[in-house]
């Protein structure tokens, strides 16, 4: 058997095993590869950095589900920590029923870390179904969409919600989503109301969002775990994003190697077949 | 203790799912069905207490909308009751004789969403993109100039190599000549890079924006079906397909990154879980 | 200049914290809102006169702006020359001064309140303030902010929407009247026919996967049109056609389509109902089952046309390994990269709809396709015009498309 036939016919489980080993090793022997900050991430960081302490609140829509949380949870934690460190009031909500638990755990962890008080410094509005209708409704009156917070307290009893009526009273809006919710925020919050929107999306979605960045419809963009790692570097608080980047880099190298080998084997086998055809063997 | 217990349940389920990589087995099936069942129950609770109770039943039955009293038969009361009733009509599909009633709320729903969507989506995806596309081709700062020039240099290198080696069949039987031709192409490509850098450095032309416009026009032409793709149209369409393929390549790479991130996240969780037993 | 403003602002804040002007007692209508403690014994400035209020109107008036204008106090810059600022008060009840909505510096005669709730009647009051006490208020009202019916800055949306809808409707009308509308042949259709031909030569079946979308998904509908075309060819060559589906309704629709196509091709007996199969609603279970068909029944041509999600690569990869000719087509942009890498030919996005319109000549599909085609021409023309105007220094054209 020639090398290319062997390579093209290899049991894929060997590749799974290689990848698994390559993921695990950097957890125990970190390589500390550098993370370079890209402009879209820097822009989002700058937008949060420019907010006034105790000024208009930051609205975070934590729209991801457990399925995409490894990519998006480090982003939401990074932004929450950044906001709390700067004493910016935070309103958290979600457009996905499975985002409820994700949002709650992210905000509780960050609030505990910075000693923030519920109702005074931050609030969790919970979930409402209807994506576009919810986003449009928030532009008119937040109380008609969320009559009460996630725990049944009327918004009028929460100090952080005082004087908050619609997007005019919110400084910046950031969505973290592994589905089209991020696009919906651009359509229904940015376009009609001019609300400044930033987004954290999975790497799969990232390429689709560059046109919005280019047209100024997004103030900044975090794409995938790498975006999270860059944000963690900017706030100088490495965590889950940075931790995964070593494994990520190693695996990318392996995959590039596999692509090159795979292509070489493919062309070699095609060439061998053509030669055989020319000799009249097939 | 609870943390450890929950983490253990999570870890075992993760391992059940990953066992599929070896081959399909009952453990995987168990985990898959568990996810479907649990999420159905979870969604029911979330929808009920986050939506149905505060937005429908509380205002309609206890006249309480977000802590404020509303009037029975007032506008707020009707605005809570009417959509609730329309929603209930969807369940008429269980009774074949009156199933047609279900089309009414569905019609309102579909029509409403289409109406809500047309203007914002058109603004976001067409009009503002059109404005971004009508971009100045010179005289504006170009933060991506170097990247663009490197790419264009590479394109020149590949084009020259292709023209000489494949089209002209130069040095077909001579490995030394082939290396020479590749070296020559590399030199031409590098020369192109230097020349383009000088041009964009002097502010004569913003090559990134030129690429953007060429890509936009090419791609739009590729999806133009009312004329045959010959002549200028054919050239533009071919440029368009190159941009599309580059876009797909970027998208593919990002997807690999995404999937690997999910794996890393799970592996990190498993490692933390094992760590719990030692701390 | 800056420090001047700071002083005014500081004074304004102090004033709102404890404003208890002696004169307020005389102006009876202030009693209801101000505490009746007596601060420093000073003379308040003379009040402003001629206060007018009106709904402020601009291009994108959302009804939240009210404009105030007045004649400054005689003590502002003249007389006692002690006016530091004018305070603007707003209330929903006549005769009550209400809440402070802002401060205008000395010398100013106008103020724009941008915090009004549209449709609410307001009464405004303006007092001159000298640092310790307020003048009697000048009052005016009621006035209400009214939203514009038309947002001028979004004219572009209206114009382009009208153009687009008009194009689609016009082409649909033309098609319904039987006009010959030219649509170029999609190369992907040739690829599909070649693949089916290859399967016939090899005497192996054709596998047609119409995606996992529901029947209301426009991609599924386009796919069924193409399925009809494919079924006619397989009927003619008597090649088995296997159609696995993930939705019960799609299965019955596919049955109809294939049966009809076989009848039209003159081979109604060759139609095999068992080859149109329902496998599973669950995405990955469906993918697994289709993979099973590929490995067991060894189709020579795999056609994936319709709406696909994450199962796209699983299907296309297995088909590639099994050595089948594969043609895919979907408008799910995120799945296109996988089909492009693993298939011999891929119909990209709109090509799927174009192929379906080309084959069916259905007026609505044709109208939509031709309408969006000419909309592309409009877009290209606008972009090119924008670039040219930009180059000669006219930026207002591109800015006309700035809608937020």
């Amino acid at each position: 058997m020639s090398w290319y036939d062997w390579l093209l016919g290899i049991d894929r489980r060997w590749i799974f095993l290689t990848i698994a080993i390559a993921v695990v090793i950097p957890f125990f022997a970190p390589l500390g590869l550098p993370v370079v900050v890209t402009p879209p991430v820097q822009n989002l960081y700058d937008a949060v950095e420019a907010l006034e302490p105790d000024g208009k609140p930051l609205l975070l829509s934590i729209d991801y589900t457990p399925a995409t949380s490894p990519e998006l949870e480090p982003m939401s934690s990074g932004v929450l920590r950044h906001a709390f460190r700067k004493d910016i009031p935070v309103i958290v909500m979600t457009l996905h029923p499975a985002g409820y638990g994700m949002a709650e755990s992210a905000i509780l962890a960050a609030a505990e870390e910075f000693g923030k008080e519920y109702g005074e410094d931050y609030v969790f509005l919970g979930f409402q179904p209807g994506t576009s209708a919810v986003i449009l409704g928030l532009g008119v009156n937040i109380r008609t969409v969320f009559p009460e917070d996630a725990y049944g307290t009327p918004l009028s009893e929460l100090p952080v919600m005082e004087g908050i009526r619609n997007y005019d009273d919110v400084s910046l809006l950031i969505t973290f989503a592994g589905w089209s919710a991020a696009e919906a925020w651009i359509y229904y919050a940015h376009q009609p109301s001019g609300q400044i929107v930033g987004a954290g999306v999975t790497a799969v979605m990232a390429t689709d969002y560059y046109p919005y960045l280019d047209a100024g419809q997004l103030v900044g963009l975090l794409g995938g775990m790498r975006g999270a790692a860059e944000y963690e570097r900017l706030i100088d608080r490495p965590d889950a994003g940075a931790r995964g980047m070593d494994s990520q880099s190693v695996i990318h190298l392996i995959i590039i190697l596999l692509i090159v080998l795979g292509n070489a084997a493919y062309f070699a086998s095609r060439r061998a077949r053509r030669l055989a055809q020319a000799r009249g063997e097939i | 203790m609870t943390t450890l217990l929950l983490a253990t349940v999570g870890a075992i389920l993760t391992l059940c799912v990953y066992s599929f990589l070896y081959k399909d087995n009952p453990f995987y099936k168990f985990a898959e069905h568990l996810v479907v069942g649990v999420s159905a129950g979870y969604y029911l609770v979330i929808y009920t207490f986050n939506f149905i109770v505060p937005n429908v039943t509380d205002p309609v039955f206890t006249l309480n909308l977000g802590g404020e009293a509303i009037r029975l038969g007032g506008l707020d009361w009707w605005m809570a009751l009417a959509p609730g009733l329309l929603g209930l009509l969807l369940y008429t599909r269980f009774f074949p004789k009156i199933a047609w009633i279900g089309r009414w709320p569905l019609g309102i729903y579909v029509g409403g969403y289409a109406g809500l969507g047309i203007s914002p989506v058109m603004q976001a995806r067409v009009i503002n993109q059109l404005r971004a596309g009508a971009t100045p081709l010179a005289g504006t700062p170009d933060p991506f100039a170097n990247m663009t020039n490197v790419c264009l240099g590479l394109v020149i290198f590949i084009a020259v190599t292709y023209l000489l080696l494949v089209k002209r069949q130069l040095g077909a039987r001579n490995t030394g000549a082939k290396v020479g031709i590749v070296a020559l192409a590399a030199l031409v490509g590098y020369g192109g890079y230097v020349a383009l850098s000088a041009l964009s450095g002097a502010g004569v032309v913003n090559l990134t924006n030129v690429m953007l416009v060429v890509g936009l026009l090419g791609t739009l032409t590729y999806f133009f079906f009312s004329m045959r793709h010959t002549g200028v149209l054919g050239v533009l369409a071919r440029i368009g397909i190159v941009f599309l393929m580059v876009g797909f390549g970027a998208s593919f790479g990002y997807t690999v990154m995404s999937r690997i991130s999910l794996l890393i996240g799970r592996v990190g969780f498993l490692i933390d879980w094992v760590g719990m037993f030692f701390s | 200049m800056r420090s001047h403003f700071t002083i005014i602002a500081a004074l304004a804040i102090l004033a709102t914290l404890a404003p208890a002007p002696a004169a307020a007692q005389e102006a009876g209508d202030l009693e209801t809102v101000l505490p009746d403690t007596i601060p420093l014994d000073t003379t308040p400035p003379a009040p402003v006169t001629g206060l007018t209020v009106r709904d402020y109107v601009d291009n994108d008036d959302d009804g939240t702006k009210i404009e105030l204008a007045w004649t400054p106090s005689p003590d502002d810059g003249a007389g006692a020359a002690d006016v530091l600022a004018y305070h603007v008060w707003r209330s929903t009840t006549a005769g009550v001064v209400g809440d402070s909505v802002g401060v205008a510096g000395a010398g100013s005669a106008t103020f724009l309140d941008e915090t009004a709730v549209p449709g609410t009647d307001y009464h405004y009051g303006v007092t001159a303030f000298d640092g310790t006490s307020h003048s009697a208020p000048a009052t005016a009202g009621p006035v209400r902010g009214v939203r514009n019916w038309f947002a001028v800055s979004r004219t572009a949306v209206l114009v382009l929407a009208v153009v687009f809808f008009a194009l689609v409707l016009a082409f649909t009308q033309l098609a319904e009247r039987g006009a010959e509308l030219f649509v170029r042949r999609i190369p992907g259709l040739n690829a599909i026919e070649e693949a089916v031909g290859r399967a016939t030569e090899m005497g192996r079946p054709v596998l047609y996967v119409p995606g996992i979308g529901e029947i209301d998904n426009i991609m599924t509908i386009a796919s069924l049109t193409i399925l009809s075309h494919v079924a006619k060819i397989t009927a003619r060559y008597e090649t088995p056609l296997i159609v696995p589906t993930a939705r019960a309704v799609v299965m019955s629709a596919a049955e109809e389509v294939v049966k009809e196509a076989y009848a039209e091709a003159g081979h109604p007996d060759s139609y095999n109902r068992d080859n149109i199969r329902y496998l599973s609603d669950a995405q990955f279970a469906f993918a697994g089952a289709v993979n099973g068909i590929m490995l067991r029944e060894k189709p020579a041509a795999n056609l994936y046309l319709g709406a696909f999600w994450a199962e796209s690569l699983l299907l296309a990869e297995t088909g590639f390994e099994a050595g089948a000719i594969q043609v895919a087509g979907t408008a799910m942009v995120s799945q296109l990269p996988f089909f492009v890498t693993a298939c011999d030919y891929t119909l990209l996005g709109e090509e799927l709809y174009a192929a379906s319109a080309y084959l069916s000549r259905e007026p609505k599909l044709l109208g939509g396709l031709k309408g969006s085609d000419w909309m592309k021409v409009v877009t290209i023309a606008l972009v090119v015009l924008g670039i040219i105007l930009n180059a000669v220094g006219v930026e207002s054209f591109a800015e006309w498309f700035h809608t937020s």
Side-chain angles (χ1 to χ4, degrees), chain A:
Chain A
M1 187 191 244
S2 53
W3 66 274
Y4 46 79
D5 283 334
W6 175 80
L7 200 66
L8 290 175
I10 195 170
D11 188 339
R12 69 177 71 182
R13 283 177 284 203
W14 289 110
I15 297 175
F16 296 156
L17 189 67
T18 315
I19 298 283
I21 293 170
V23 169
V24 174
I25 288 176
F27 275 91
F28 296 102
L31 306 169
L33 296 173
V35 175
V36 183
V37 178
T38 51
V41 178
Q42 181 75 48
N43 290 346
L44 190 71
Y45 171 85
D46 290 345
V48 176
E49 186 65 21
L51 300 182
E52 305 242 332
D54 301 316
K56 283 184 181 181
L58 170 67
L59 177 59
L60 296 185
S61 192
I62 296 187
D63 302 323
Y64 55 84
T65 63
T68 47
S69 70
E71 285 186 90
L72 299 166
E73 196 273 336
M75 295 179 189
S76 61
S77 294
V79 172
L80 275 167
R81 281 175 178 145
H82 189 191
F84 281 154
R85 196 172 71 191
K86 289 205 66 201
D87 292 324
I88 299 163
V90 177
I91 302 172
V92 177
M93 57 168 283
T94 179
L95 292 173
H96 198 291
Y100 188 97
M102 299 282 107
E104 196 177 35
S105 68
I107 196 163
L108 285 182
E112 193 181 0
E113 187 179 327
F114 288 87
K116 295 291 175 183
E117 208 165 309
Y118 188 82
E120 297 279 343
D121 307 307
Y122 70 99
V123 63
F124 177 41
L125 299 180
F127 160 75
Q128 281 294 327
T131 312
S132 53
V134 170
I135 300 173
L136 282 168
L138 293 180
V140 180
N141 187 353
I142 203 164
R143 280 169 182 76
T144 55
V145 183
F146 289 101
E148 44 197 46
D149 74 354
Y151 310 109
T153 313
L155 296 196
S156 48
E157 290 170 22
L158 296 159
V160 70
M161 294 304 294
E162 202 182 301
I164 311 294
R165 190 178 155 77
N166 52 35
Y167 293 126
D168 291 343
D169 310 309
V170 171
S171 53
L172 173 66
L173 186 159
I174 304 177
T175 162
F176 304 96
W179 53 294
S180 54
E183 228 161 18
W185 282 109
I186 298 173
Y187 296 164
Y188 302 109
H190 175 76
Q191 290 304 345
S193 306
Q195 171 63 39
I196 302 171
V197 179
V201 299
T202 60
V204 175
M205 296 156 65
T207 40
D208 296 347
Y209 283 78
Y210 273 84
Y212 297 123
L213 212 52
D214 192 48
Q217 291 153 304
L218 278 179
V219 65
L221 179 69
L222 308 182
M225 191 178 258
R226 196 202 141 93
E230 290 175 33
Y231 204 90
E232 284 173 1
R233 209 198 117 181
L234 284 169
I235 59 168
D236 210 11
R237 174 97 171 49
D239 197 18
R243 181 166 93 150
M245 278 321 282
D246 279 345
S247 305
Q248 187 84 257
S249 307
V250 171
I251 290 181
H252 283 189
L253 279 178
I254 293 177
I255 287 175
I256 291 173
L257 195 72
L258 287 174
I259 291 176
V260 171
L261 281 177
N263 273 288
Y266 173 73
F267 283 111
S269 79
R270 202 169 71 162
R271 189 187 157 99
R273 193 182 301 197
R274 276 201 193 145
L275 288 175
Q277 251 168 352
R279 286 197 302 268
E281 284 168 18
I282 299 179

Side-chain angles (χ1 to χ4, degrees), chain C residues 80-105:
Chain C
D82 61 350
V83 172
L84 286 175
Y86 296 101
H87 282 238
V88 180
W89 312 83
R90 186 177 80 189
S91 156
T92 47
T93 317
V96 174
V97 168
D99 305 320
S100 170
V101 286
V103 179

